[in-house]
Amino acid sequence: MRHTIKVAAVLSAAALALAACGDSGNTSESGSSGSASSSAGGKKSDLKVGMAYDVGGRGDQSFNDAAAAGLDKAKSELGVEAKEATAVDKEPESAREERLQQLVDAGYTHVVAVGFAYAPAVAKVAKANPDVHFAIVDSTDAKGSNITNLTFAENEGSFLVGAAAALKSKAKHIGFVGGVNTDLIKKFEAGYITGAKAVNKDIKIDVTYLTQPPDFSGFGDPAKGKTAAEGMYQSGADVVYHAAGGSGGGVFTAAKAAGAMAIGVDSDQALTAAPDVKDVIITSMIKKVDVAVYNWIKDESEGKFKPGEQVFDLKSGGVDYSTTGGKIDDIKSKLDDYKQQIIDGKITVPTKP
């Protein structure tokens, strides 16, 4: 165990060294530009933002990339200085703590932790560094006077794509692939099932999770995603929704091979997925992590720190569904009706299956 921790620490330190050199390669611990960039208006902020990604990091075409988009916008428009590092699959909890502390030690006074798995580390490091402001995406487990919790109503957005799946399914048989069996991903499952059953109470829904905590590799294993989706398509499902981060690429590959349909998550994956599988994606549940991250950094640049939970739901535009490719244009009016009913409080979407 000590050897593992030392290796993680070395990797994390290397990531920060690379970051200072401007290396943005997709390594297990990657860094990006450590120099401030100026906005289009010539403004330059003195804010220094550290970004700690979850497993998969930049390039996962989903959750981490959405956070990266928010950071990139802040660099471009606000001129903030940024440094990035990425979690390593199956690393010890101490590695996450070290990653955050190293960002702080490098002078990054505002740190964004991407993903609920960072909650214990954020709670500990934030307490040890009261003058540093932290934001954690997807968790309220880490609380403190210097912590902002950026959370989303994933269940509401998932309701809409669940309804879309049921409306588009000719087999009346759909599936859900979750990356890791956690309360957060169960919010996606709950919304998806509820939305599908709102359309057809008798629809068949297959559900599988790729890994169980503390194994979070289910968010970065396309091979596992492919195998899980293949089983669903072979058993008769014709639409599969994934909430599995980088593993979703495997779901799309399986859908392509089966001549079936898939639903993306977090980002509009009909735009971000590999070119050879984009056409199988009929919609995506968009979770605007980029908006949450950018808005937090912008508030910080204006001296408007707000500790505590900030919820991004359908009403606030924090979650939604995508229409890229026109594959759900024929049912858009029905989905928008469901959307308005949720916003108006006529439909309450559960957070647990």
Side-chain angles (χ1 to χ4, degrees), residues 142-208:
K143 296 179 180 179
S145 60
N146 58 334
I147 301 172
T148 303
N149 308 92
L150 306 175
T151 65
F152 300 81
E154 296 93 349
N155 52 319
E156 293 182 355
S158 295
F159 178 104
L160 298 180
V161 299
L167 287 165
K168 298 299 285 187
S169 175
K170 295 179 180 178
K172 307 307 177 188
H173 183 177
I174 62 177
F176 172 81
V177 175
V180 183
N181 192 347
T182 63
D183 288 344
L184 173 66
I185 305 304
K186 283 188 173 296
K187 285 175 67 178
F188 292 81
E189 179 194 345
Y192 183 66
I193 290 174
T194 305
K197 288 188 175 294
V199 172
N200 176 5
K201 64 182 179 60
D202 297 319
I203 193 166
K204 182 177 180 181
I205 307 172
D206 296 333
V207 175
T208 190

Side-chain angles (χ1 to χ4, degrees), residues 173-178 205-209 225-241 251 258:
H173 183 177
I174 62 177
F176 172 81
V177 175
I205 307 172
D206 296 333
V207 175
T208 190
Y209 284 86
K226 180 174 180 287
T227 298
E230 281 176 340
M232 292 179 179
Y233 291 128
Q234 289 168 5
S235 70
D238 56 358
V239 185
V240 175
Y241 171 43
V251 174

Side-chain angles (χ1 to χ4, degrees), residues 33-38 44-48 75 79-82 108:
S33 178
S35 58
S37 57
S38 298
K44 181 179 178 180
S45 172
D46 59 1
L47 206 68
K48 299 183 71 173
K75 289 163 63 178
V80 302
E81 180 178 336
Y108 289 80

Side-chain angles (χ1 to χ4, degrees), residues 319-334:
V319 294
D320 209 336
Y321 70 95
S322 66
T323 59
T324 298
K327 297 182 183 299
I328 59 168
D329 286 354
D330 57 326
I331 60 171
K332 187 177 184 301
S333 61
K334 293 180 180 179

Side-chain angles (χ1 to χ4, degrees), residues 2 14 50 58 97-98 158 169 176 179 208 240 287 301 313 327:
R2 290 182 179 176
R58 270 190 188 261
E97 295 171 11
E98 290 162 1
S158 295
S169 175
F176 172 81
T208 190
V240 175
K287 178 174 167 178
S301 71
D313 57 11
K327 297 182 183 299

Side-chain angles (χ1 to χ4, degrees), residues 13-146:
L16 295 177
L18 286 172
C21 298
D23 184 346
S24 58
N26 289 322
T27 59
S28 57
E29 283 276 346
S30 62
S32 70
S33 178
S35 58
S37 57
S38 298
S39 67
K43 295 180 180 179
K44 181 179 178 180
S45 172
D46 59 1
L47 206 68
K48 299 183 71 173
V49 180
M51 178 77 82
Y53 296 111
D54 207 344
V55 174
R58 270 190 188 261
D60 73 345
Q61 302 173 348
S62 185
F63 180 62
N64 288 293
D65 271 356
L71 179 64
D72 289 345
K73 183 177 180 182
K75 289 163 63 178
S76 174
E77 296 189 4
L78 306 176
V80 302
E81 180 178 336
K83 184 170 288 188
E84 305 169 38
T86 302
V88 178
D89 186 22
K90 299 180 181 179
E91 68 183 6
E93 181 59 35
S94 60
R96 290 180 184 270
E97 295 171 11
E98 290 162 1
R99 182 174 302 110
L100 298 179
Q101 187 60 54
Q102 285 169 353
L103 287 168
V104 172
D105 291 344
Y108 289 80
T109 54
H110 298 75
V111 178
V112 181
V114 185
F116 64 85
Y118 274 103
V122 168
K124 185 173 181 179
V125 179
K127 185 176 181 179
N129 299 276
D131 294 331
V132 176
H133 288 175
F134 292 81
I136 180 168
V137 180
D138 278 351
S139 178
T140 57
D141 289 341
K143 296 179 180 179
S145 60
N146 58 334

